Amino acid sequence: MSSSNVQVGVVMGSSSDWDTMQHAAAIFQQFGVAFEARVVSAHRMPDDMFAYAEAAEGRGLQAIVAGAGGAAHLPGMLAAKTTVPVLGVPVPSRHLQGVDSLHSIVQMPKGIPVATFAIGAAGAANAALFAVAMLARHDTALRERLHAFRAEQTAMARAMTLPVEPRAGDRA
């Protein structure tokens, strides 16, 4: 896909974060949203990270989904260098299971917002769905796909059954 068509950046601090961030990519693929995925480490390649953030708006990016673990500086540092909305995904860490990442991303100082999602795969998928919803505000076809996705989610929930029928006195 040509870089001029890319609407969303999916970035992470390390290739090991792909286990989590692939869930964002899968959502973008499902909805047909053009995205790019790359490693842009806040600590190991800060000049590249700043260049990415500074060029984001000019390249037409509408959102950046940024996953980071541990100290998790990537989403906040990107947000400090661009006005493109940054959606932060805490990547689970070995010792603190991503709670450290969550705290790092969610505690941004006033004036530099990062929308922060749940730790791990659910957070990556929801960050992508949030970006899809943002894009759908100005894209009728994408909005229709999002409505269909939500209707499918509802239908799947309504079709769920439990292994045991409730007793007559337990029914509300």
Side-chain angles (χ1 to χ4, degrees), residues 22 43 48 67 74 95 115 121 124 126 134 141 150 171:
Q22 68 181 325
H43 298 110
D48 294 14
L74 180 61
H95 299 292
N126 280 340
M134 288 179 5
R150 293 279 183 94
R171 293 190 181 145

Side-chain angles (χ1 to χ4, degrees), residues 20-25 27 65 89 117-129:
T20 295
M21 299 308 291
Q22 68 181 325
H23 299 281
I27 292 293
V65 178
V89 178
F117 292 83
I119 297 167
N126 280 340
L129 286 166

Side-chain angles (χ1 to χ4, degrees), residues 74-160:
L74 180 61
M77 293 305 295
L78 289 168
K81 297 294 278 183
T82 186
T83 58
V84 171
V86 176
L87 314 177
V89 178
V91 172
S93 55
R94 185 173 355 154
H95 299 292
L96 298 174
Q97 290 72 50
V99 173
D100 51 343
S101 312
L102 173 65
H103 288 176
S104 181
I105 296 170
V106 81
Q107 290 294 351
M108 288 300 297
K110 179 180 177 182
I112 308 295
V114 172
T116 308
F117 292 83
I119 297 167
N126 280 340
L129 286 166
F130 192 91
V132 167
M134 288 179 5
L135 294 169
R137 302 304 310 146
H138 303 288
D139 183 332
T140 304
L142 185 58
R143 188 167 47 250
E144 289 172 5
R145 290 193 299 274
L146 184 56
H147 284 297
F149 173 83
R150 293 279 183 94
E152 184 179 319
Q153 295 279 300
T154 299
M156 288 187 329
R158 285 184 179 145
M160 290 179 183

Side-chain angles (χ1 to χ4, degrees), residues 3-76:
S3 63
S4 65
N5 296 332
V6 173
Q7 296 177 284
V8 180
V10 176
V11 295
M12 59 217 77
S14 170
S15 61
S16 63
D17 297 341
W18 182 247
D19 287 344
T20 295
M21 299 308 291
Q22 68 181 325
H23 299 281
I27 292 293
F28 292 130
Q29 289 171 332
Q30 179 180 349
F31 281 91
V33 171
F35 71 96
E36 62 189 14
R38 60 175 68 163
V39 171
V40 184
S41 173
H43 298 110
R44 293 181 296 267
M45 46 196 291
D47 294 336
D48 294 14
M49 177 201 57
F50 285 146
Y52 184 87
E54 291 167 346
E57 186 174 0
R59 292 191 313 112
L61 293 184
Q62 300 299 305
I64 299 170
V65 178
H73 288 104
L74 180 61

